[in-house]
Amino acid sequence: MTSTTNSWSPALKGLHWLIAIFILCGWASVELHEFYERDDPMRGWWMVVHFSLGFSVLLLAMLRLYWRATHGRPTLYGSGFQKPVSLLVQSLLYVLMLGMPLTGLMMRQFAGRDTTLFWLFDLPSFVTKNIDLAKQVAFIHKEFLWNALLVMLVLHIGGALWHHFISKDNTLRQMLPFGKVK
C-alpha cells in the first residue's frame, strides 16, 4: 500500500479520484439548488448534499495528507520550472481542499445556522452570530477560493495532459486507477 518510485499507492489513487468526484458533485449540487425557489424543499435537499460532500472532502483531504506524508510519492517528472510549479499547484490544491469546506462551515456558523450533514445530524453553531463576518467569509468561500480552485484544477489537469501527450512520461499513468506505468 506504499507508493513506489513508479506509481501512487492504491489508497492515494482512490482518495484522489474520490475527492475529485466529490468536488464535482459538490459543485453540481450547489448549482442545482439554484433551480428551486427558496421555499422549495428540494433547494434545501441539494444544500444538504453540498454540505455533506464538502465535509467529506475535508475529512478525505486530511486523510490523504496524512497518507501522503507517511507513504511517500513516486518520481516527479518534469524539467526546469515544471517540478516546482507542479509542487506549488499540488500544495495549493491541498490548501483549497481544506479551505473551501472550512470557510463554508464558518460561513454557516457566523450566519447562526446549523449545518445538516448526511441527514443524520446537525452541526450546531459554536460561535456568536455575526452576519457581517458571515458575508465576508461567504465572499472568500464563493468568490476567492472557488475561483482559485478552478484555476488550480485547470493547471493540474492541463499539467497531467501535457505530461501524457507532449512529454509522454508516466505522470498521468501513475494516478490512473487502471493505468499501466511504462
Side-chain angles (χ1 to χ4, degrees), residues 60-107:
L60 292 171
M62 290 190 301
L63 177 61
R64 186 170 174 200
L65 275 170
Y66 169 77
W67 195 273
R68 172 134 176 229
T70 59
H71 289 77
R73 63 163 298 126
T75 302
L76 186 61
Y77 293 98
S79 59
F81 73 94
Q82 290 177 336
K83 288 181 183 179
V85 168
S86 172
L87 292 172
L88 177 63
V89 169
Q90 288 176 27
S91 299
L92 290 173
L93 279 170
Y94 280 113
V95 168
L96 292 165
M97 286 186 288
L98 299 172
M100 284 292 292
L102 288 173
T103 56
L105 181 59
M106 287 172 48
M107 177 175 53

Side-chain angles (χ1 to χ4, degrees), residues 49 60 65 73 80 82 94 112 129 132 135 159 163 173-174:
V49 170
L60 292 171
L65 275 170
R73 63 163 298 126
Q82 290 177 336
Y94 280 113
K129 186 175 181 176
D132 290 333
K135 288 178 183 178
H163 280 280
R173 284 185 205 92
Q174 289 175 337

Side-chain angles (χ1 to χ4, degrees), residues 71-151:
H71 289 77
R73 63 163 298 126
T75 302
L76 186 61
Y77 293 98
S79 59
F81 73 94
Q82 290 177 336
K83 288 181 183 179
V85 168
S86 172
L87 292 172
L88 177 63
V89 169
Q90 288 176 27
S91 299
L92 290 173
L93 279 170
Y94 280 113
V95 168
L96 292 165
M97 286 186 288
L98 299 172
M100 284 292 292
L102 288 173
T103 56
L105 181 59
M106 287 172 48
M107 177 175 53
R108 301 276 304 171
Q109 291 280 309
F110 286 117
R113 297 181 182 162
D114 292 346
T115 304
T116 302
L117 297 173
F118 308 104
W119 294 275
L120 297 175
F121 59 93
D122 290 336
L123 287 178
S125 183
F126 296 110
V127 298
T128 305
K129 186 175 181 176
N130 185 333
I131 298 299
D132 290 333
L133 190 53
K135 288 178 183 178
Q136 291 172 357
V137 174
F139 175 81
I140 293 168
H141 178 78
K142 296 176 183 179
E143 302 300 330
F144 180 71
L145 292 180
W146 173 245
N147 289 315
L149 180 61
L150 292 177
V151 169

